[in-house]
Amino acid sequence: MIERDVDIADQKIAFAESAGTGRPVILLHGNSSSSRVWHPMMTGPFGQRFRCLALDLPGHGRSARATRPDNYSLPGYAHILTGFTEALAVPDAVVVGWSLGGHIVIEATPALPEAAGFVIFGTPPVGTQAQLGEAFLPNPAVNVGFTADVDTETARSYATDFLAPGSTIPLDEFVADILATDGQARSALLTSIG
């Protein structure tokens, strides 16, 4: 697996690429996460077979903070995704999104007519901010995903609530990603959904 960067409009986007040469698969992470959540899959048999491309959204992982405030919105993230498919010449990729990544996939779908398919999970389809409260089981940790300032203890609680027991994603890496995420990416997301 190699790590690279690409410029999309005025935004520097970091991504990881697996060793596979089969059909391209674009992987989009969730809120306050990064491409690291996909590394176990990318370094395993799946990533050895398919050309997996896991990007870091603006303000997440190794990507630069947003150059424009609207980059921290569902339409802004969708624009990054469509620009990514163009920049890497992978219009026929399968596009996979987890949680926030799934919402981005839904938002970008009309602009990706050549995509081979879409896979979303952990992504309740909501049309309004009011429906957001009904989309998730009650859990105070969910609010962290929309809070600008997060301390280590809160990040650990948030990460623990998102990971299943025995997950291959190292808890400490997920906590580090949460703490490294630009707080404006979290706080602007709720506004964008509204």
Side-chain angles (χ1 to χ4, degrees):
M1 186 172 64
I2 59 170
E3 293 184 339
R4 298 174 44 200
D5 296 312
V6 63
D7 290 318
I8 299 171
D10 57 352
Q11 183 71 52
K12 184 161 293 290
I13 297 296
F15 67 98
E17 184 171 359
S18 72
T21 57
R23 177 176 296 280
V25 179
I26 298 173
L27 304 165
L28 291 160
H29 62 79
N31 182 0
S32 300
S33 185
S34 78
S35 61
R36 288 199 296 193
V37 300
W38 304 106
H39 288 186
M41 185 174 78
M42 294 177 69
T43 58
F46 188 86
Q48 292 170 6
R49 178 174 177 194
F50 297 101
R51 181 182 179 208
C52 296
L53 303 161
L55 63 130
D56 289 333
L57 294 170
H60 295 75
R62 293 185 315 101
S63 286
R65 291 175 180 246
T67 54
R68 295 187 322 266
D70 65 336
N71 281 353
Y72 289 151
S73 68
L74 290 177
Y77 289 139
H79 177 73
I80 295 294
L81 171 58
T82 57
F84 186 79
T85 64
E86 292 167 10
L88 272 73
V90 291
D92 61 341
V94 172
V95 186
V96 179
W98 162 58
S99 192
L100 170 60
H103 288 289
I104 296 165
V105 171
I106 291 169
E107 184 80 18
T109 296
L112 299 170
E114 295 178 54
F118 303 99
V119 178
I120 61 172
F121 60 100
T123 307
V126 295
T128 67
Q129 191 173 20
Q131 291 175 329
L132 191 60
E134 301 168 9
F136 296 95
L137 295 174
N139 185 327
V142 170
N143 293 331
V144 174
F146 305 110
T147 305
D149 297 319
V150 177
D151 62 27
T152 302
E153 182 180 327
T154 305
R156 184 167 293 284
S157 174
Y158 182 69
T160 301
D161 282 354
F162 271 85
L163 297 177
S167 172
T168 59
I169 299 167
L171 179 64
D172 289 341
E173 286 185 6
F174 195 6
V175 170
D177 281 343
I178 294 165
L179 294 171
T181 297
D182 182 359
Q184 292 302 311
R186 283 190 290 268
S187 61
L189 182 57
L190 186 60
T191 303
S192 171
I193 293 170

